[in-house]
Amino acid sequence: LLGSMPDLENKSDELLRTIPGSPPDLIHPPIGDAFAARNEFAMQIDYEQEPPMFEVSPTHFAKTWLLHPDAPKVELPEAVAKRIEGYLAKEEEQHV
């Protein structure tokens, strides 16, 4: 999701990522993670069970299997790592 958000640091030749597909049918919701069918990184468990909620920080929670202790370790995409570094740097500047 971070790759789909524009900010002032985006270069004109940098394409924003999109989420393919359509939102899930809320009348007949899918089993498991509602976004699994639209997620290129979805694991088999995402189609079988809804992911648990994890506290990332006191003000941020995430529903994901990737934070589960038994989850496979994945490499953070470089574009996402750069975006996070930028956000953290801006946040630090605001607190100085």
Side-chain angles (χ1 to χ4, degrees):
L1 291 176
L2 287 174
S4 67
M5 295 173 42
D7 64 21
L8 296 175
E9 304 298 322
N10 283 55
K11 299 175 182 81
S12 61
D13 63 340
E14 183 180 351
L15 295 176
L16 297 175
R17 294 185 57 99
T18 60
I19 300 172
S22 299
D25 181 350
L26 298 179
I27 295 173
H28 301 96
I31 297 171
D33 185 344
F35 291 98
R38 302 173 66 194
N39 180 359
E40 65 182 290
F41 303 108
M43 299 177 290
Q44 184 59 41
I45 195 168
D46 290 312
Y47 295 95
E48 299 165 359
Q49 298 178 36
E50 188 173 337
M53 182 77 76
F54 290 94
E55 182 176 346
V56 178
S57 74
T59 59
H60 182 86
F61 292 81
K63 279 185 127 178
T64 177
W65 287 107
L66 294 177
L67 295 176
H68 191 278
D70 296 334
K73 301 306 174 214
V74 296
E75 192 70 32
L76 187 64
E78 184 179 339
V80 174
K82 286 182 181 179
R83 181 65 63 95
I84 292 171
E85 287 174 20
Y87 287 136
L88 293 175
K90 286 179 188 177
E91 189 174 291
E92 188 174 306
E93 288 174 10
Q94 293 175 352
H95 289 91
V96 174

CSV table of all heavy atoms in Angstrom, one decimal, residues 20-73:
chain,number,residue,atom,x,y,z
A,20,PRO,N,-4.5,-4.5,-8.2
A,20,PRO,CA,-5.3,-5.1,-9.2
A,20,PRO,C,-6.7,-5.6,-8.7
A,20,PRO,O,-6.8,-5.8,-7.5
A,20,PRO,CB,-4.5,-6.2,-9.8
A,20,PRO,CG,-3.6,-6.6,-8.6
A,20,PRO,CD,-3.4,-5.4,-7.8
A,21,GLY,N,-7.6,-5.8,-9.6
A,21,GLY,CA,-8.9,-6.4,-9.3
A,21,GLY,C,-9.9,-5.4,-8.7
A,21,GLY,O,-9.7,-4.2,-8.8
A,22,SER,N,-10.9,-6.0,-8.2
A,22,SER,CA,-12.0,-5.2,-7.6
A,22,SER,C,-12.1,-5.5,-6.1
A,22,SER,O,-11.7,-6.6,-5.7
A,22,SER,CB,-13.4,-5.6,-8.3
A,22,SER,OG,-13.3,-5.3,-9.7
A,23,PRO,N,-12.8,-4.6,-5.4
A,23,PRO,CA,-13.0,-4.9,-3.9
A,23,PRO,C,-13.8,-6.1,-3.7
A,23,PRO,O,-14.6,-6.5,-4.6
A,23,PRO,CB,-13.7,-3.6,-3.5
A,23,PRO,CG,-13.4,-2.6,-4.4
A,23,PRO,CD,-13.2,-3.3,-5.8
A,24,PRO,N,-13.7,-6.8,-2.6
A,24,PRO,CA,-14.4,-8.0,-2.4
A,24,PRO,C,-15.9,-7.8,-2.3
A,24,PRO,O,-16.4,-6.7,-1.9
A,24,PRO,CB,-13.9,-8.5,-1.0
A,24,PRO,CG,-13.3,-7.3,-0.4
A,24,PRO,CD,-12.8,-6.4,-1.5
A,25,ASP,N,-16.7,-8.8,-2.6
A,25,ASP,CA,-18.2,-8.7,-2.4
A,25,ASP,C,-18.5,-8.8,-1.0
A,25,ASP,O,-18.3,-9.8,-0.3
A,25,ASP,CB,-18.8,-9.9,-3.2
A,25,ASP,CG,-20.3,-10.0,-3.1
A,25,ASP,OD1,-20.9,-9.2,-2.4
A,25,ASP,OD2,-20.8,-10.8,-3.9
A,26,LEU,N,-19.1,-7.7,-0.4
A,26,LEU,CA,-19.4,-7.7,1.0
A,26,LEU,C,-20.7,-8.5,1.4
A,26,LEU,O,-20.9,-8.8,2.5
A,26,LEU,CB,-19.5,-6.2,1.4
A,26,LEU,CG,-18.3,-5.4,1.3
A,26,LEU,CD1,-18.5,-4.0,1.8
A,26,LEU,CD2,-17.1,-6.0,2.1
A,27,ILE,N,-21.5,-8.8,0.4
A,27,ILE,CA,-22.7,-9.6,0.6
A,27,ILE,C,-22.2,-11.1,0.8
A,27,ILE,O,-22.7,-11.8,1.6
A,27,ILE,CB,-23.7,-9.5,-0.5
A,27,ILE,CG1,-24.2,-8.0,-0.5
A,27,ILE,CG2,-24.8,-10.5,-0.4
A,27,ILE,CD1,-25.1,-7.7,-1.7
A,28,HIS,N,-21.3,-11.5,0.0
A,28,HIS,CA,-20.7,-12.8,0.1
A,28,HIS,C,-19.2,-12.7,0.2
A,28,HIS,O,-18.4,-12.9,-0.7
A,28,HIS,CB,-21.0,-13.7,-1.2
A,28,HIS,CG,-22.5,-13.8,-1.4
A,28,HIS,ND1,-23.2,-13.0,-2.3
A,28,HIS,CD2,-23.4,-14.7,-0.9
A,28,HIS,CE1,-24.4,-13.3,-2.3
A,28,HIS,NE2,-24.6,-14.3,-1.5
A,29,PRO,N,-18.7,-12.3,1.4
A,29,PRO,CA,-17.3,-12.1,1.6
A,29,PRO,C,-16.5,-13.3,1.4
A,29,PRO,O,-17.0,-14.4,1.7
A,29,PRO,CB,-17.2,-11.5,3.0
A,29,PRO,CG,-18.5,-11.9,3.7
A,29,PRO,CD,-19.5,-12.1,2.7
A,30,PRO,N,-15.3,-13.2,0.9
A,30,PRO,CA,-14.4,-14.4,0.7
A,30,PRO,C,-14.0,-14.9,2.1
A,30,PRO,O,-13.9,-14.3,3.1
A,30,PRO,CB,-13.2,-13.8,-0.1
A,30,PRO,CG,-13.2,-12.3,0.3
A,30,PRO,CD,-14.6,-11.9,0.5
A,31,ILE,N,-13.6,-16.2,2.0
A,31,ILE,CA,-13.0,-16.8,3.2
A,31,ILE,C,-11.6,-16.4,3.3
A,31,ILE,O,-10.9,-16.2,2.3
A,31,ILE,CB,-13.0,-18.4,3.0
A,31,ILE,CG1,-14.5,-18.8,3.0
A,31,ILE,CG2,-12.3,-19.1,4.1
A,31,ILE,CD1,-14.7,-20.3,2.6
A,32,GLY,N,-11.1,-16.1,4.5
A,32,GLY,CA,-9.7,-15.7,4.7
A,32,GLY,C,-9.6,-14.2,4.6
A,32,GLY,O,-10.5,-13.4,4.9
A,33,ASP,N,-8.4,-13.8,4.1
A,33,ASP,CA,-8.1,-12.4,3.9
A,33,ASP,C,-8.9,-11.8,2.7
A,33,ASP,O,-8.8,-12.3,1.6
A,33,ASP,CB,-6.6,-12.2,3.7
A,33,ASP,CG,-6.1,-10.8,3.6
A,33,ASP,OD1,-7.0,-9.9,3.4
A,33,ASP,OD2,-4.9,-10.5,3.7
A,34,ALA,N,-9.6,-10.8,2.9
A,34,ALA,CA,-10.5,-10.2,1.9
A,34,ALA,C,-9.6,-9.6,0.7
A,34,ALA,O,-10.2,-9.5,-0.4
A,34,ALA,CB,-11.3,-9.1,2.4
A,35,PHE,N,-8.4,-9.4,0.9
A,35,PHE,CA,-7.5,-8.8,-0.1
A,35,PHE,C,-6.6,-9.8,-0.8
A,35,PHE,O,-5.9,-9.5,-1.7
A,35,PHE,CB,-6.6,-7.7,0.4
A,35,PHE,CG,-7.4,-6.5,0.8
A,35,PHE,CD1,-7.8,-6.2,2.1
A,35,PHE,CD2,-7.8,-5.5,-0.2
A,35,PHE,CE1,-8.5,-5.1,2.5
A,35,PHE,CE2,-8.5,-4.4,0.2
A,35,PHE,CZ,-8.9,-4.2,1.5
A,36,ALA,N,-6.7,-11.1,-0.4
A,36,ALA,CA,-5.8,-12.2,-0.9
A,36,ALA,C,-5.8,-12.3,-2.4
A,36,ALA,O,-4.8,-12.4,-3.1
A,36,ALA,CB,-6.1,-13.5,-0.3
A,37,ALA,N,-7.0,-12.2,-3.0
A,37,ALA,CA,-7.1,-12.4,-4.5
A,37,ALA,C,-6.5,-11.2,-5.2
A,37,ALA,O,-6.1,-11.3,-6.4
A,37,ALA,CB,-8.6,-12.5,-4.9
A,38,ARG,N,-6.3,-10.1,-4.6
A,38,ARG,CA,-5.7,-8.9,-5.2
A,38,ARG,C,-4.3,-8.7,-4.8
A,38,ARG,O,-3.7,-7.7,-5.2
A,38,ARG,CB,-6.5,-7.7,-4.8
A,38,ARG,CG,-8.0,-7.8,-5.2
A,38,ARG,CD,-8.8,-6.7,-4.6
A,38,ARG,NE,-8.5,-5.4,-5.2
A,38,ARG,CZ,-8.8,-4.2,-4.8
A,38,ARG,NH1,-9.5,-4.1,-3.7
A,38,ARG,NH2,-8.4,-3.1,-5.4
A,39,ASN,N,-3.7,-9.6,-4.0
A,39,ASN,CA,-2.3,-9.4,-3.5
A,39,ASN,C,-1.4,-10.4,-4.2
A,39,ASN,O,-1.5,-11.6,-4.0
A,39,ASN,CB,-2.4,-9.7,-2.0
A,39,ASN,CG,-1.0,-9.5,-1.3
A,39,ASN,OD1,0.0,-9.3,-2.0
A,39,ASN,ND2,-1.0,-9.7,0.0
A,40,GLU,N,-0.4,-9.9,-4.9
A,40,GLU,CA,0.5,-10.8,-5.6
A,40,GLU,C,1.4,-11.5,-4.6
A,40,GLU,O,2.1,-12.5,-5.0
A,40,GLU,CB,1.4,-9.9,-6.5
A,40,GLU,CG,2.3,-8.9,-5.9
A,40,GLU,CD,3.1,-8.1,-6.8
A,40,GLU,OE1,4.0,-8.6,-7.5
A,40,GLU,OE2,2.8,-6.9,-7.0
A,41,PHE,N,1.5,-11.1,-3.3
A,41,PHE,CA,2.3,-11.8,-2.3
A,41,PHE,C,1.5,-12.7,-1.4
A,41,PHE,O,2.0,-13.1,-0.4
A,41,PHE,CB,3.1,-10.7,-1.5
A,41,PHE,CG,3.9,-9.8,-2.4
A,41,PHE,CD1,3.6,-8.5,-2.6
A,41,PHE,CD2,5.1,-10.3,-3.0
A,41,PHE,CE1,4.3,-7.7,-3.4
A,41,PHE,CE2,5.8,-9.5,-3.8
A,41,PHE,CZ,5.5,-8.2,-4.0
A,42,ALA,N,0.2,-12.9,-1.7
A,42,ALA,CA,-0.7,-13.7,-0.8
A,42,ALA,C,-0.1,-15.1,-0.7
A,42,ALA,O,0.4,-15.7,-1.6
A,42,ALA,CB,-2.1,-13.7,-1.4
A,43,MET,N,-0.2,-15.6,0.5
A,43,MET,CA,0.2,-17.0,0.8
A,43,MET,C,-1.1,-17.9,0.8
A,43,MET,O,-2.2,-17.4,1.0
A,43,MET,CB,0.9,-17.0,2.1
A,43,MET,CG,2.2,-16.2,2.2
A,43,MET,SD,3.0,-16.2,3.8
A,43,MET,CE,1.8,-15.2,4.8
A,44,GLN,N,-0.9,-19.2,0.8
A,44,GLN,CA,-2.1,-20.1,0.8
A,44,GLN,C,-3.0,-19.8,2.0
A,44,GLN,O,-4.2,-19.9,1.9
A,44,GLN,CB,-1.6,-21.5,0.8
A,44,GLN,CG,-2.7,-22.5,0.7
A,44,GLN,CD,-3.6,-22.3,-0.6
A,44,GLN,OE1,-3.1,-22.1,-1.6
A,44,GLN,NE2,-4.9,-22.5,-0.4
A,45,ILE,N,-2.4,-19.6,3.2
A,45,ILE,CA,-3.2,-19.4,4.4
A,45,ILE,C,-4.1,-18.2,4.3
A,45,ILE,O,-5.1,-18.1,4.9
A,45,ILE,CB,-2.2,-19.3,5.6
A,45,ILE,CG1,-3.1,-19.4,6.9
A,45,ILE,CG2,-1.4,-18.0,5.6
A,45,ILE,CD1,-2.3,-19.7,8.2
A,46,ASP,N,-3.7,-17.2,3.4
A,46,ASP,CA,-4.5,-16.0,3.3
A,46,ASP,C,-5.9,-16.4,2.6
A,46,ASP,O,-6.9,-15.6,2.8
A,46,ASP,CB,-3.8,-15.0,2.4
A,46,ASP,CG,-2.7,-14.3,3.1
A,46,ASP,OD1,-2.8,-13.9,4.2
A,46,ASP,OD2,-1.6,-14.2,2.4
A,47,TYR,N,-5.9,-17.4,1.9
A,47,TYR,CA,-7.2,-17.9,1.2
A,47,TYR,C,-8.0,-18.8,2.2
A,47,TYR,O,-9.1,-19.1,1.8
A,47,TYR,CB,-6.9,-18.6,-0.1
A,47,TYR,CG,-6.3,-17.7,-1.1
A,47,TYR,CD1,-4.9,-17.7,-1.3
A,47,TYR,CD2,-7.0,-16.9,-1.9
A,47,TYR,CE1,-4.3,-16.9,-2.2
A,47,TYR,CE2,-6.5,-16.1,-2.9
A,47,TYR,CZ,-5.1,-16.1,-3.0
A,47,TYR,OH,-4.5,-15.3,-4.0
A,48,GLU,N,-7.4,-19.2,3.3
A,48,GLU,CA,-8.1,-20.1,4.2
A,48,GLU,C,-8.5,-19.5,5.5
A,48,GLU,O,-9.5,-19.9,6.1
A,48,GLU,CB,-7.1,-21.3,4.5
A,48,GLU,CG,-6.7,-22.0,3.2
A,48,GLU,CD,-5.5,-22.9,3.4
A,48,GLU,OE1,-5.0,-23.0,4.6
A,48,GLU,OE2,-5.1,-23.6,2.5
A,49,GLN,N,-7.8,-18.5,6.0
A,49,GLN,CA,-8.1,-17.9,7.3
A,49,GLN,C,-7.8,-16.4,7.3
A,49,GLN,O,-6.9,-16.0,6.6
A,49,GLN,CB,-7.1,-18.5,8.4
A,49,GLN,CG,-7.3,-20.0,8.6
A,49,GLN,CD,-6.3,-20.5,9.7
A,49,GLN,OE1,-6.0,-19.8,10.7
A,49,GLN,NE2,-5.8,-21.7,9.5
A,50,GLU,N,-8.6,-15.7,8.0
A,50,GLU,CA,-8.4,-14.3,8.2
A,50,GLU,C,-7.2,-14.1,9.0
A,50,GLU,O,-7.0,-14.7,10.0
A,50,GLU,CB,-9.6,-13.6,8.9
A,50,GLU,CG,-9.6,-12.1,8.9
A,50,GLU,CD,-10.8,-11.5,9.4
A,50,GLU,OE1,-11.9,-12.2,9.4
A,50,GLU,OE2,-10.7,-10.4,9.9
A,51,PRO,N,-6.3,-13.2,8.6
A,51,PRO,CA,-5.1,-13.0,9.4
A,51,PRO,C,-5.3,-12.4,10.8
A,51,PRO,O,-6.3,-11.6,10.9
A,51,PRO,CB,-4.2,-12.0,8.5
A,51,PRO,CG,-5.2,-11.4,7.6
A,51,PRO,CD,-6.3,-12.3,7.5
A,52,PRO,N,-4.4,-12.6,11.7
A,52,PRO,CA,-4.6,-12.1,13.1
A,52,PRO,C,-4.2,-10.6,13.1
A,52,PRO,O,-3.4,-10.1,12.2
A,52,PRO,CB,-3.7,-12.9,13.9
A,52,PRO,CG,-2.7,-13.5,13.0
A,52,PRO,CD,-3.3,-13.6,11.7
A,53,MET,N,-4.6,-9.9,14.1
A,53,MET,CA,-4.3,-8.5,14.3
A,53,MET,C,-3.0,-8.4,15.2
A,53,MET,O,-2.9,-9.1,16.2
A,53,MET,CB,-5.4,-7.7,15.0
A,53,MET,CG,-5.2,-6.3,15.2
A,53,MET,SD,-5.4,-5.3,13.7
A,53,MET,CE,-7.2,-5.3,13.6
A,54,PHE,N,-2.1,-7.6,14.7
A,54,PHE,CA,-0.8,-7.4,15.5
A,54,PHE,C,-0.7,-5.9,15.7
A,54,PHE,O,-1.0,-5.0,14.9
A,54,PHE,CB,0.4,-7.8,14.7
A,54,PHE,CG,0.5,-9.3,14.5
A,54,PHE,CD1,-0.1,-10.0,13.4
A,54,PHE,CD2,1.1,-10.1,15.5
A,54,PHE,CE1,0.0,-11.3,13.3
A,54,PHE,CE2,1.2,-11.5,15.4
A,54,PHE,CZ,0.6,-12.1,14.3
A,55,GLU,N,-0.2,-5.6,16.9
A,55,GLU,CA,0.2,-4.2,17.3
A,55,GLU,C,1.6,-3.9,16.7
A,55,GLU,O,2.5,-4.5,17.1
A,55,GLU,CB,0.1,-4.0,18.8
A,55,GLU,CG,0.4,-2.5,19.2
A,55,GLU,CD,0.2,-2.3,20.7
A,55,GLU,OE1,-0.3,-3.1,21.4
A,55,GLU,OE2,0.7,-1.2,21.1
A,56,VAL,N,1.6,-2.9,15.8
A,56,VAL,CA,2.9,-2.5,15.3
A,56,VAL,C,3.5,-1.4,16.1
A,56,VAL,O,4.7,-1.3,16.3
A,56,VAL,CB,2.7,-2.0,13.8
A,56,VAL,CG1,4.0,-1.5,13.2
A,56,VAL,CG2,2.1,-3.2,13.0
A,57,SER,N,2.7,-0.5,16.6
A,57,SER,CA,3.1,0.5,17.5
A,57,SER,C,1.8,0.9,18.3
A,57,SER,O,0.7,0.4,18.0
A,57,SER,CB,3.5,1.8,16.8
A,57,SER,OG,2.5,2.5,16.2
A,58,PRO,N,1.9,1.7,19.4
A,58,PRO,CA,0.7,2.0,20.2
A,58,PRO,C,-0.4,2.6,19.4
A,58,PRO,O,-1.6,2.6,19.8
A,58,PRO,CB,1.2,3.0,21.2
A,58,PRO,CG,2.7,2.7,21.4
A,58,PRO,CD,3.1,2.3,20.0
A,59,THR,N,-0.1,3.2,18.2
A,59,THR,CA,-1.2,3.8,17.4
A,59,THR,C,-1.4,3.1,16.0
A,59,THR,O,-2.1,3.6,15.2
A,59,THR,CB,-0.8,5.3,17.1
A,59,THR,OG1,0.5,5.4,16.4
A,59,THR,CG2,-0.7,6.1,18.4
A,60,HIS,N,-0.7,2.0,15.8
A,60,HIS,CA,-0.8,1.3,14.5
A,60,HIS,C,-1.0,-0.2,14.7
A,60,HIS,O,-0.2,-0.8,15.4
A,60,HIS,CB,0.4,1.6,13.7
A,60,HIS,CG,0.4,1.0,12.3
A,60,HIS,ND1,-0.2,1.6,11.3
A,60,HIS,CD2,0.9,-0.2,11.9
A,60,HIS,CE1,-0.1,0.8,10.2
A,60,HIS,NE2,0.6,-0.2,10.5
A,61,PHE,N,-2.0,-0.7,14.1
A,61,PHE,CA,-2.2,-2.2,14.1
A,61,PHE,C,-2.3,-2.7,12.6
A,61,PHE,O,-2.7,-1.9,11.7
A,61,PHE,CB,-3.6,-2.5,14.8
A,61,PHE,CG,-3.5,-2.2,16.3
A,61,PHE,CD1,-3.7,-0.9,16.7
A,61,PHE,CD2,-3.3,-3.2,17.2
A,61,PHE,CE1,-3.7,-0.6,18.1
A,61,PHE,CE2,-3.3,-2.9,18.5
A,61,PHE,CZ,-3.4,-1.6,19.0
A,62,ALA,N,-2.0,-3.9,12.4
A,62,ALA,CA,-2.0,-4.5,11.1
A,62,ALA,C,-2.5,-6.0,11.2
A,62,ALA,O,-2.1,-6.7,12.1
A,62,ALA,CB,-0.6,-4.5,10.5
A,63,LYS,N,-3.4,-6.3,10.2
A,63,LYS,CA,-3.9,-7.7,10.1
A,63,LYS,C,-3.0,-8.3,9.0
A,63,LYS,O,-3.2,-8.0,7.8
A,63,LYS,CB,-5.4,-7.7,9.7
A,63,LYS,CG,-6.3,-7.5,10.8
A,63,LYS,CD,-7.7,-7.6,10.3
A,63,LYS,CE,-8.4,-8.7,11.2
A,63,LYS,NZ,-9.8,-8.9,10.8
A,64,THR,N,-2.1,-9.2,9.4
A,64,THR,CA,-1.2,-9.8,8.5
A,64,THR,C,-0.6,-11.1,9.1
A,64,THR,O,-0.4,-11.2,10.3
A,64,THR,CB,-0.1,-8.9,8.1
A,64,THR,OG1,0.8,-9.5,7.2
A,64,THR,CG2,0.7,-8.4,9.3
A,65,TRP,N,-0.4,-12.1,8.2
A,65,TRP,CA,0.3,-13.3,8.6
A,65,TRP,C,1.8,-13.0,8.7
A,65,TRP,O,2.5,-13.8,9.3
A,65,TRP,CB,0.0,-14.4,7.7
A,65,TRP,CG,-1.4,-14.9,7.8
A,65,TRP,CD1,-2.5,-14.7,7.0
A,65,TRP,CD2,-1.9,-15.7,8.9
A,65,TRP,NE1,-3.6,-15.3,7.5
A,65,TRP,CE2,-3.3,-15.9,8.7
A,65,TRP,CE3,-1.4,-16.2,10.1
A,65,TRP,CZ2,-4.1,-16.7,9.6
A,65,TRP,CZ3,-2.2,-16.9,11.0
A,65,TRP,CH2,-3.5,-17.2,10.7
A,66,LEU,N,2.3,-12.0,8.0
A,66,LEU,CA,3.7,-11.8,7.9
A,66,LEU,C,4.3,-11.4,9.3
A,66,LEU,O,5.5,-11.6,9.4
A,66,LEU,CB,4.0,-10.7,6.9
A,66,LEU,CG,3.7,-11.2,5.4
A,66,LEU,CD1,4.0,-10.0,4.5
A,66,LEU,CD2,4.5,-12.4,5.0
A,67,LEU,N,3.5,-11.0,10.2
A,67,LEU,CA,4.1,-10.7,11.5
A,67,LEU,C,3.9,-11.8,12.5
A,67,LEU,O,4.4,-11.8,13.6
A,67,LEU,CB,3.4,-9.4,12.1
A,67,LEU,CG,3.6,-8.1,11.3
A,67,LEU,CD1,2.8,-7.0,11.9
A,67,LEU,CD2,5.1,-7.8,11.3
A,68,HIS,N,3.3,-12.9,12.1
A,68,HIS,CA,3.2,-14.1,12.9
A,68,HIS,C,4.6,-14.8,13.1
A,68,HIS,O,5.4,-14.8,12.1
A,68,HIS,CB,2.2,-15.1,12.2
A,68,HIS,CG,1.8,-16.2,13.1
A,68,HIS,ND1,2.6,-17.3,13.2
A,68,HIS,CD2,0.7,-16.4,13.8
A,68,HIS,CE1,2.0,-18.2,14.1
A,68,HIS,NE2,0.8,-17.6,14.4
A,69,PRO,N,4.9,-15.3,14.3
A,69,PRO,CA,6.2,-15.9,14.5
A,69,PRO,C,6.6,-17.0,13.6
A,69,PRO,O,7.7,-17.2,13.3
A,69,PRO,CB,6.1,-16.4,16.0
A,69,PRO,CG,4.9,-15.7,16.6
A,69,PRO,CD,4.0,-15.3,15.5
A,70,ASP,N,5.6,-17.7,13.0
A,70,ASP,CA,5.9,-18.8,12.1
A,70,ASP,C,5.9,-18.4,10.6
A,70,ASP,O,6.1,-19.3,9.8
A,70,ASP,CB,4.8,-19.9,12.3
A,70,ASP,CG,4.8,-20.6,13.6
A,70,ASP,OD1,5.9,-20.5,14.3
A,70,ASP,OD2,3.8,-21.1,14.1
A,71,ALA,N,5.7,-17.1,10.4
A,71,ALA,CA,5.7,-16.7,9.0
A,71,ALA,C,7.0,-16.8,8.3
A,71,ALA,O,8.1,-16.6,9.0
A,71,ALA,CB,5.2,-15.2,8.9
A,72,PRO,N,7.1,-17.0,7.0
A,72,PRO,CA,8.4,-17.0,6.3
A,72,PRO,C,8.9,-15.6,6.3
A,72,PRO,O,8.1,-14.6,6.2
A,72,PRO,CB,8.0,-17.5,4.9
A,72,PRO,CG,6.5,-17.2,4.7
A,72,PRO,CD,5.9,-17.3,6.1
A,73,LYS,N,10.2,-15.4,6.3
A,73,LYS,CA,10.8,-14.1,6.3
A,73,LYS,C,10.8,-13.7,4.8
A,73,LYS,O,11.2,-14.4,3.9
A,73,LYS,CB,12.2,-14.1,6.9
A,73,LYS,CG,12.2,-14.5,8.3
A,73,LYS,CD,11.2,-13.7,9.2
A,73,LYS,CE,11.1,-14.2,10.6
A,73,LYS,NZ,9.8,-14.1,11.2
